[in-house]
Amino acid sequence: MAERNGSSIVVISRGPIFCLFTMTSVLFVLSWFFVLRSTGRPHFIDQSLLPNSNIFSTGDSSSEKQRQNVEPSIGNRAILVDNEEAEALQETETPQAKDDLKCDSNDKVVLQVFMYDLDPEFHFGLLDWKPEGGSVWPDVRNKIPSYPGGLNLQHSIEYWLTLDLLASELPNAPNAHTAIRVHNSSEADIIFVPFFSSLSYNRYSRIKPHERKSKNKNKNRLLQEKLVRHLTAQKEWKRSGGQDHLVIAHHPNSMLDARMKLWPVTFILSDFGRYPPKIANVEKDVIAPYKHVIKTYVNDSSDFDSRPTLLYFQGAIYRKDGGFVRQELFYLLKDEKDVHFAFGSVQKDGIRKATQGMHSSKFCLNIAGDTPSSNRLFDAIASHCVPVIISDDIELPYEDVLDYSQFCIFVRTRDALKKKYLINLIRGIGRDEWTQMWNKLKEVENLYEFQYPSKEGDAVQMIWQAVARKVPAIRMKLHKSRRFTRTLPRNVRELISIPAPGNFW
Ligand SMILES: *[C@@H]1O[C@H](CO)[C@@H](O)[C@H](O)[C@H]1NC(C)=O
Ligand SMILES: *[C@@H]1O[C@H](CO)[C@@H](O)[C@H](O)[C@H]1NC(C)=O
């Protein structure tokens, strides 16, 4: 209609033109109004990027009504609820009902996890736990088997995730429930392999000075072989070729033997430093933080001026590629008064000293070692010491939902090795900018806390959520791989493969 009006403008005199112009404008505005109405609200968010986007997008025009139906305190969680459920909620209105509702919310993806009941020698047996009452799992209601302390803890991710799954089955489980254990593998989003591979590496393949090249020397390798044999014989593995399996190999040297055979799985790793890109990569796999060894800075009331050290580094020196950078930086920085740069790994008394050092520094250096990642980054975050990352190939946990540039400084290695570049860059960051980053560090520090029971938004929940974000891609790969699995019946195959005589040319 608007178009016809437009074409007739040419032949009509001025007065009516103005009138027509007004009319078309009004019509135009009205038509937009209707378009917006029919699509609910304009969509500024790419909903495909949201977890549970299918649920979210069914909200549409009725979501407005639902929101009004439900208590304001529940906020936009109500978008996820059916009308009936919302009405039922209004009638019952108990605190319990509200809690149930929260469990379905958009920010807490529920991931259904099937866990193999592996022999305890693969998991809690490595902690000298002995099975009781016929179960291969400890009773996590009371006392949980403890994990060896010290530097072992850095890679204890396997332990916290397994405990969280076991806890998800408890009635009134106190944990945050991103992941729940299911016993029917057909209903699972992911198949979890509970092998404490980092602990197996730490325990069995390092030879301590007082041990003779011992009986345990090959135990780590033997366990991996046994695991591969066991896994590949399971119906769950055969169904998917392992593509929907989740394997934790957080210590860079763990799973050294099995990784090449288990490559279709999703790995949980600290970095990709020792993996060929085909075996592990950022699309397929999940990067998890280290558990920090430096104590969290509770009630941190420090500020820019009360942290006397400008830049702090304490770490091992390596002879490989990363070691070169560390040594060069040492020569570049050693004469700066307010810089602490020392070699020697953080151990025993060293932890106390490093805690002190990081708590009283403005910036903490994180330089690639013999692998791109290191625990130091997470120690710095726990200390609210702004990380300065010099590691070109580092991959960071949850980077698809977290912008590290808000609380970390990244410097390319080739720049950092230029004379005065690094120190001038750091000195150029003033109180306001530093304070902003320090505040952000305090906001994000919980995302790196491992604990039992796990709490909402801690590292355990964040890792499960990162896994949940991989699930659609895993499904897609699985479905695609099934495209051509249908084969002809045998008698037909035989007919085709034997050509009739004379039909060749
Ligand atoms: C497991 O789940 C599938 C799919 O929902 C179902 O068909 C099957 O019967 C279930 N198996 C058992 C033992 O409950
Ligand atoms: C931190 O502050 C809170 C409240 O002021 C206090 O209860 C708590 O004991 C403090 N913790 C430490 C470790 O100082």
Side-chain angles (χ1 to χ4, degrees):
M1 198 162 91
E3 203 175 80
R4 213 188 310 149
N5 282 343
S7 64
S8 56
I9 281 176
V10 191
V11 291
I12 307 177
S13 67
R14 236 187 215 174
I17 286 182
F18 179 75
C19 174
L20 258 175
F21 178 75
T22 317
M23 253 178 67
T24 37
S25 301
V26 166
L27 275 173
F28 181 74
V29 168
L30 271 177
S31 69
W32 260 104
F33 181 72
F34 283 119
V35 166
L36 286 182
R37 280 272 302 217
S38 66
T39 56
R41 290 156 290 134
H43 296 294
F44 298 113
I45 302 168
D46 180 357
Q47 299 193 349
S48 64
L49 294 177
L50 294 171
N52 268 1
S53 59
N54 51 340
I55 303 175
F56 195 88
S57 59
T58 56
D60 269 17
S61 58
S62 52
S63 64
E64 220 62 34
K65 199 168 64 180
Q66 284 166 18
R67 220 179 307 170
Q68 286 156 11
N69 268 347
V70 182
E71 276 235 321
S73 68
I74 295 165
N76 59 10
R77 294 175 201 276
I79 295 174
L80 302 172
V81 188
D82 287 334
N83 259 334
E84 294 96 301
E85 265 181 56
E87 275 153 27
L89 178 81
Q90 256 202 338
E91 280 160 30
T92 51
E93 268 297 338
T94 60
Q96 182 60 45
K98 261 185 253 170
D99 281 345
D100 290 349
L101 184 67
K102 279 185 190 164
C103 280
D104 277 351
S105 78
N106 177 33
D107 49 328
K108 250 191 274 169
V109 184
V110 173
L111 181 72
Q112 311 219 65
V113 185
F114 174 83
M115 174 161 73
Y116 286 118
D117 288 320
L118 291 184
D119 188 285
E121 69 174 328
F122 289 104
H123 44 88
F124 289 99
L126 288 163
L127 298 167
D128 296 323
W129 172 81
K130 299 270 183 305
E132 309 140 349
S135 170
V136 298
W137 300 112
D139 181 349
V140 293
R141 274 171 302 185
N142 307 313
K143 194 172 162 291
I144 54 167
S146 59
Y147 200 91
L151 293 184
N152 275 318
L153 270 172
Q154 304 182 75
H155 299 293
S156 54
I157 289 65
E158 49 206 25
Y159 171 75
W160 304 107
L161 291 186
T162 308
L163 283 175
D164 188 55
L165 277 187
L166 293 172
S168 75
E169 293 194 293
L170 299 179
N172 305 317
N175 64 353
H177 276 318
T178 295
I180 53 167
R181 185 181 179 199
V182 296
H183 289 267
N184 181 343
S185 62
S186 309
E187 287 169 356
D189 299 310
I190 199 106
I191 313 285
F192 182 70
V193 180
F195 175 37
F196 292 0
S197 59
S198 299
L199 189 59
S200 170
Y201 171 75
N202 276 329
R203 229 189 124 154
Y204 291 140
S205 56
R206 288 190 186 160
I207 296 151
K208 298 184 190 86
H210 60 274
E211 281 173 356
R212 291 192 299 130
K213 288 204 167 182
S214 66
K215 53 185 180 353
N216 284 338
K217 191 181 160 220
N218 286 325
K219 186 95 192 256
N220 179 42
R221 194 166 50 83
L222 292 176
L223 267 182
Q224 291 175 56
E225 279 171 15
K226 199 167 165 184
L227 180 76
V228 171
R229 265 200 313 275
H230 177 82
L231 275 184
T232 49
Q234 302 305 307
K235 69 170 194 294
E236 286 79 12
W237 183 279
K238 288 179 180 159
R239 203 165 59 196
S240 68
Q243 290 188 94
D244 57 357
H245 282 48
L246 187 63
V247 170
I248 307 180
H250 199 262
H251 192 295
N253 291 342
S254 61
M255 287 287 196
L256 216 49
D257 301 288
R259 60 175 63 163
M260 295 305 187
K261 294 173 185 128
L262 299 180
W263 61 268
V265 307
T266 294
F267 287 111
I268 296 182
L269 304 172
S270 53
D271 61 54
F272 300 115
R274 302 213 172 131
Y275 282 80
K278 281 238 165 97
I279 303 294
N281 54 67
V282 76
E283 280 74 40
K284 175 171 80 72
D285 304 295
V286 170
I287 295 294
Y290 292 58
K291 180 169 166 53
H292 57 86
V293 293
I294 300 270
K295 280 219 194 71
T296 309
Y297 199 159
V298 186
N299 298 345
D300 175 5
S301 58
S302 70
D303 61 19
F304 190 74
D305 299 308
S306 73
R307 290 179 173 240
T309 307
L310 177 71
L311 186 58
Y312 181 92
F313 176 80
Q314 175 83 45
I317 186 158
Y318 297 97
R319 262 164 290 171
K320 297 177 209 162
D321 331 339
F324 165 74
V325 177
R326 288 181 180 201
Q327 214 144 34
E328 287 298 299
L329 283 171
F330 174 72
Y331 289 120
L332 287 172
L333 295 171
K334 70 180 168 40
D335 294 328
E336 304 289 340
K337 271 199 312 294
D338 45 2
V339 172
H340 170 99
F341 199 118
F343 290 119
S345 69
V346 178
Q347 269 169 352
K348 289 174 201 151
D349 188 47
I351 292 187
R352 195 182 52 79
K353 283 207 191 115
T355 305
Q356 233 169 36
M358 286 190 166
H359 285 192
S360 53
S361 303
K362 296 182 183 73
F363 296 94
C364 285
L365 261 180
N366 180 72
I367 315 168
D370 58 350
T371 59
S373 74
S374 89
N375 198 31
R376 215 152 289 107
L377 170 63
F378 306 100
D379 285 338
I381 293 173
S383 308
H384 313 149
C385 177
V386 174
V388 176
I389 299 176
I390 304 174
S391 179
D392 299 348
D393 300 321
I394 197 169
E395 293 294 345
L396 297 162
Y398 345 122
E399 204 175 4
D400 53 345
V401 293
L402 195 60
D403 178 3
Y404 280 79
S405 71
Q406 294 181 356
F407 55 92
C408 294
I409 312 282
F410 291 88
V411 185
R412 283 193 193 86
T413 306
R414 62 162 195 268
D415 292 333
L417 295 181
K418 290 176 192 158
K419 209 169 178 194
K420 290 281 176 188
Y421 183 97
L422 183 62
I423 197 71
N424 286 340
L425 183 89
I426 302 298
R427 288 201 198 285
I429 298 171
R431 176 184 294 110
D432 290 349
E433 202 183 337
W434 182 87
T435 307
Q436 261 177 21
M437 297 181 114
W438 175 77
N439 276 322
K440 191 76 190 173
L441 282 170
K442 293 198 292 179
E443 266 174 48
V444 300
E445 65 179 336
N446 268 333
L447 309 180
Y448 306 96
E449 289 301 328
F450 290 92
Q451 56 205 333
Y452 179 83
S454 158
K455 298 201 184 86
E456 189 168 352
D458 68 7
V460 171
Q461 303 304 317
M462 287 298 286
I463 293 170
W464 285 132
Q465 284 173 23
V467 171
R469 292 192 293 273
K470 298 287 183 198
V471 167
I474 292 172
R475 289 229 178 94
M476 177 141 165
K477 254 194 305 187
L478 255 178
H479 294 167
K480 280 196 164 185
S481 70
R482 286 180 189 151
R483 283 180 178 184
F484 299 111
T485 48
R486 189 177 298 281
T487 51
L488 290 168
R490 190 138 167 244
N491 51 351
V492 181
R493 251 184 294 158
E494 276 162 5
L495 272 178
I496 292 177
S497 62
I498 304 167
N503 266 358
F504 267 101
W505 312 101

